[in-house]
Amino acid sequence: MPIGDDAVAGNGLLDRRLFLKGGLVGGLTLLSASAHGVERRDWMKTPGSSLSDEGIPSPHESHVKRTSIRTAPGTSGSGISSTPHEHLDGIITPSRLHFERHHSGIPEIRPDEHRLVIHGQVERPLSFSLDSLARYPTVSRIHFLECAGNSGALLMPKPIQGPCSSLHGLISGSEWGGVPLSSLLNEAGVKSGARWILAEGADSSVMSRSIPLDKAMDDALVALYQNGERLRPANGYPMRLFLPGWEGNTSVKWLRTLKVVDEPAMTRDETSKYTDLQRDGSSKIFTFEMGVKSIITKPSPGLQLHEVGVYPISGIAWSGGGRIRRVDVSADGGRSWGEAALDEHVLPKSLTRFRIPWRWDGGPAVILSRATDERGEVQPTRETVLGARSAAGFYHNNCMQAWRVDPEGTITHVYI
Ligand SMILES: Nc1nc2c(c(=O)[nH]1)N[C@H]1C(S)=C(S)[C@@H](COP(=O)(O)O)O[C@H]1N2
Ligand SMILES: [Mo]
């Protein structure tokens, strides 16, 4: 193994192409002389269990669950649950592990009684049942959904310790299927002069957001499907607005009305919440697009390195502005960088999986990743993000995340 020659950056980062050549961890998987593993195990000696009408994960994977469930005092349904990225791979989050954010729990909607109404400044107000909506031309697209509060903990004065999901679990990736909103708006006939749409959900918080008409006519969907099946109740059943690349809050779940209007309605979730407080006391408002960002999911806190040797570093990168162009990784706290390999599916406004091999020599290391999107936007440092912001703000943080690997192989969250 010509590891010395294959170094691309300091402290053991190796050429991403080594993964393609194979043989990197050969020493671990060499078949021993006793050929352990070839003998017939007990599960080969009797027929297996029966068929079932629903697939469930192996009981040996039962620890892979949504994590960090936190609710507002006095409620059981207003809060968050997080995607366990430290246990996942690829770019699609299984629906059962998609993060949740509810402002007043999950409504139990009877689909045959639910309607989507488009009204306000339109030529023809329309009301859709689930069945009538399903007859419109449908598309499916792979996109991330990220809460604006994701990674907000990194703006706290001291690094908060916890698994990757407790810091960055409010992002997930899915294939979303549904009707382009533009076709419904065209049918309703938007009157000239109208510029915004007020979207309202059917939960008891009646969550509402004002959406610029341009976005609604661009790539917005009324989503009915997630990862090939009907939306799950937690994610908006029977229908939700889905705005690719924009803060999760704008993707109004349990969508019931779209009112075409002249001006934003200045709802609670676009004034007192989801705005970015600045040091001078002003607030940035309507900062919809999620910035270019990446996190290393493996190795990460809670996972443990054992013997010295080669490990894959792997993570996810995404940008609300389009495709990921490249991801660089450092194993020496940002002094030197090596370019990671990107998995085959590099899609706009979608999670992109990156990987790079790393030879851990048993010494301390600080690993971090830095994404660049197709517009050339580069993931910023924590200092840059903090910039002019008030310390009280925590939304829309896309700063780089550093993990420290100590000589015992345990991993902690550090600021660099
Ligand atoms: N009606 C309604 N829509 C909503 C919410 C809500 O509480 N009610 N939460 C919003 C927030 S803050 C986010 S981040 C996303 C979360 O979507 P998910 O639960 O499917 O992950 O839904 C958004 N849409
Ligand atoms: Mo959110």
Side-chain angles (χ1 to χ4, degrees):
M1 275 193 300
I3 276 172
D5 300 340
D6 290 316
V8 290
N11 205 11
L13 269 187
L14 303 178
D15 192 315
R16 66 190 192 276
R17 285 172 293 250
L18 283 180
F19 273 150
L20 305 175
K21 291 188 203 155
L24 259 182
V25 285
L28 288 179
T29 46
L30 255 192
L31 199 61
S32 73
S34 69
H36 173 75
V38 175
E39 69 272 18
R40 278 165 67 105
R41 310 303 296 262
D42 47 356
W43 54 80
M44 294 182 71
K45 295 174 184 166
T46 52
S49 57
S50 37
L51 305 166
S52 64
D53 56 9
E54 196 168 33
I56 53 164
S58 161
H60 305 287
E61 300 297 325
S62 59
H63 58 287
V64 182
K65 292 198 168 127
R66 289 180 180 140
T67 70
S68 313
I69 297 178
R70 288 192 285 265
T71 51
T75 77
S76 60
S78 303
I80 55 166
S81 69
S82 294
T83 294
H85 287 294
E86 53 276 17
H87 298 301
L88 303 180
D89 201 292
I91 62 168
I92 301 288
T93 308
S95 301
R96 69 187 180 88
L97 300 176
H98 195 285
F99 84 88
E100 299 166 283
R101 171 74 181 103
H102 317 310
H103 289 78
S104 187
I106 306 167
E108 284 179 36
I109 295 178
R110 285 183 297 277
D112 50 341
E113 291 173 31
H114 182 83
R115 294 291 178 274
L116 169 62
V117 169
I118 300 186
H119 66 135
Q121 296 190 30
V122 292
E123 303 296 341
R124 292 168 294 279
L126 300 171
S127 168
F128 301 91
S129 67
L130 189 56
D131 284 348
S132 63
L133 207 53
R135 287 168 54 191
Y136 282 78
T138 300
V139 296
S140 72
R141 300 191 188 119
I142 294 175
H143 290 302
F144 71 80
L145 180 68
E146 183 180 22
C147 178
N150 193 35
S151 320
L154 269 72
L155 299 181
M156 301 288 125
K158 290 214 170 73
I160 292 174
Q161 299 304 329
C164 179
S165 52
S166 71
L167 302 167
H168 305 290
L170 302 182
I171 168 119
S172 307
S174 296
E175 183 192 24
W176 298 98
V179 183
L181 180 54
S182 57
S183 56
L184 304 178
L185 289 171
N186 284 336
E187 179 153 336
V190 173
K191 290 190 177 163
S192 64
R195 288 278 165 274
W196 292 76
I197 293 185
L198 179 64
E200 187 179 282
D203 51 338
S204 65
S205 74
V206 196
M207 217 211 71
S208 316
R209 285 297 306 256
S210 309
I211 312 296
L213 188 62
D214 288 350
K215 179 68 173 178
M217 296 303 271
D218 178 18
D219 58 359
L221 294 179
V222 175
L224 307 171
Y225 290 90
Q226 181 183 0
N227 297 329
E229 62 179 3
R230 286 284 187 189
L231 295 177
R232 295 194 173 195
N235 306 110
Y237 183 84
M239 61 185 74
R240 82 180 298 167
L241 187 60
F242 189 85
L243 302 184
W246 281 24
E247 62 179 5
N249 189 262
T250 60
S251 284
V252 175
K253 299 190 278 191
W254 314 297
L255 183 66
R256 68 183 284 271
T257 58
L258 292 167
K259 185 176 183 186
V260 179
V261 291
D262 296 333
E263 288 180 345
M266 306 310 246
T267 67
R268 187 195 75 139
D269 280 333
E270 57 206 22
T271 51
S272 80
K273 306 284 176 196
Y274 300 100
T275 51
D276 299 314
L277 187 60
Q278 307 293 297
R279 281 202 192 146
D280 65 6
S282 66
S283 248
K284 285 196 178 157
I285 189 169
F286 300 126
T287 44
F288 294 118
E289 191 181 291
M290 298 307 289
V292 58
K293 185 161 163 186
S294 65
I295 46 171
I296 293 173
T297 54
K298 265 184 213 148
S300 63
L303 306 177
Q304 176 76 33
L305 302 191
H306 296 287
E307 66 266 30
V308 160
V310 177
Y311 288 85
I313 290 179
S314 165
I316 44 176
W318 64 94
S319 167
R323 288 184 171 77
I324 289 297
R325 179 190 290 164
R326 62 183 283 163
V327 179
D328 295 289
V329 172
S330 174
D332 56 12
R335 276 195 295 282
S336 63
W337 298 86
E339 188 176 349
L342 304 182
D343 271 10
E344 189 178 327
H345 304 290
V346 180
L347 302 168
K349 306 176 189 179
S350 162
L351 298 185
T352 297
R353 175 65 55 175
F354 66 88
R355 307 171 196 274
I356 190 167
W358 173 50
R359 185 174 183 283
W360 181 48
D361 64 7
V366 173
I367 57 174
L368 66 156
S369 61
R370 181 182 66 196
T372 304
D373 72 12
E374 62 183 341
R375 301 171 306 184
E377 295 286 323
V378 182
Q379 186 177 2
T381 62
R382 183 170 171 275
E383 267 173 23
T384 305
V385 170
L386 281 170
R389 286 193 188 207
S390 153
F394 67 95
Y395 295 117
H396 305 108
N397 174 28
N398 63 332
C399 78
M400 290 186 250
Q401 164 71 65
W403 306 129
R404 181 179 193 276
V405 182
D406 69 20
E408 284 73 49
T410 47
I411 300 154
T412 48
H413 172 197
V414 289
Y415 292 155
I416 52 163

